[in-house]
Amino acid sequence: MKQMPIAPFDLPEAQPFLLEGSDTGFLFFHGFTSTPQSVSNVAQHVHRISGATVYCPLLDGHGETPTALAKTGQADWVASAETALETLSSRCARVIVGGLSLGATLSLNLAARMPDKIQGVISINGSTGLYRPEVVAPLYETGGAAFIEGIGSDIAEPGMTEICYDRIPRETLKERFLLTNATGALLPLIRQPILILQSRRDNVVDPKNAPRIATSVGSSEIHLCWLERSYHVATLDYDRSLIAQRIAGFLGQVAS
């Protein structure tokens, strides 16, 4: 009997997961067009060294097909994030939210709007609305292609691959820009301790987002760490162990 190869999105590492631990919870979001696979290595490392409960959900429209993503928008991704927050809050006394790229944007968004439910926030190569005009203008051209080339697997380390869509619905990118710009406007509302991790060379998100976050939030405790060896998907790159250590240390500080 001939065996059919398993689709990447059906692989176990691409599925949402919960790692049971202490009453400190870390809600960890993947990025745009990606899956929990992109943050799984760091999540497991954080769980091992901190003992925290770690939850990595799957955002709406992700882990299926680009066509499925095209049926969703920023309100759906925010709703996914809020549902995940409720799930983890029901198990843990304190919750820290964090994520990669769009996952970081969602974390910042939640922290700004729900300060009573979130005790700390972590941004890894997070986007807050800094885009070059030549990137945005084509999205509003009439008669443009329905899909554009994917942006995944921006990784410096050879042999590392991100499970993600190879093409992106053009209309969905507009939704992403709406969310990132709105979140940038919300930054002053963030009062919780914040850890910002940013790759020096990021081919997807402008590294200037990191100092923008650091200088815009209302937090009194701000940690900014530059990642010198990794590209955008830093959680699968050379600095993944450093990222896990920094996150675990941050969780411990917030918990104490």
Side-chain angles (χ1 to χ4, degrees), residues 22-37:
S22 70
D23 63 355
T24 294
F26 177 38
L27 180 56
F28 201 3
F29 297 115
H30 63 79
F32 187 56
T33 79
S34 190
T35 73
Q37 176 262 350

Side-chain angles (χ1 to χ4, degrees), residues 138-161:
L139 298 179
Y140 293 89
E141 293 176 355
T142 57
F147 291 86
I148 66 169
E149 187 178 353
I151 56 174
S153 283
D154 183 37
I155 302 171
E157 183 174 349
M160 299 299 291
T161 304

Side-chain angles (χ1 to χ4, degrees), residues 70-200:
K71 297 176 181 178
T72 68
Q74 56 93 19
D76 301 297
W77 312 327
V78 170
S80 292
E82 291 177 349
T83 298
L85 176 61
E86 291 299 324
T87 297
L88 192 57
S89 295
S90 68
R91 313 172 79 96
C92 298
R94 66 192 66 83
V95 173
I96 293 87
V97 296
L100 170 69
S101 191
L102 178 67
T105 303
L106 287 168
S107 299
L108 294 165
N109 189 286
L110 293 184
R113 296 185 299 105
M114 301 179 174
D116 57 324
K117 296 184 178 181
I118 295 168
Q119 283 67 56
V121 59
I122 300 167
S123 171
I124 308 169
N125 294 336
S127 178
T128 60
L130 298 181
Y131 297 106
R132 298 187 306 276
E134 62 268 24
V135 173
V136 179
L139 298 179
Y140 293 89
E141 293 176 355
T142 57
F147 291 86
I148 66 169
E149 187 178 353
I151 56 174
S153 283
D154 183 37
I155 302 171
E157 183 174 349
M160 299 299 291
T161 304
E162 178 186 18
I163 297 176
C164 57
Y165 295 146
D166 60 356
R167 57 197 180 106
I168 307 171
R170 190 167 68 118
E171 290 299 314
T172 309
L173 271 177
K174 294 181 185 178
E175 292 287 311
R176 177 172 173 259
F177 290 145
L178 174 62
L179 177 60
T180 54
N181 280 281
T183 300
L186 291 171
L187 290 176
L189 298 181
I190 295 176
R191 297 286 191 271
Q192 302 93 326
I194 183 169
L195 172 62
I196 306 161
L197 298 153
Q198 176 63 54
S199 298
R200 289 278 188 193

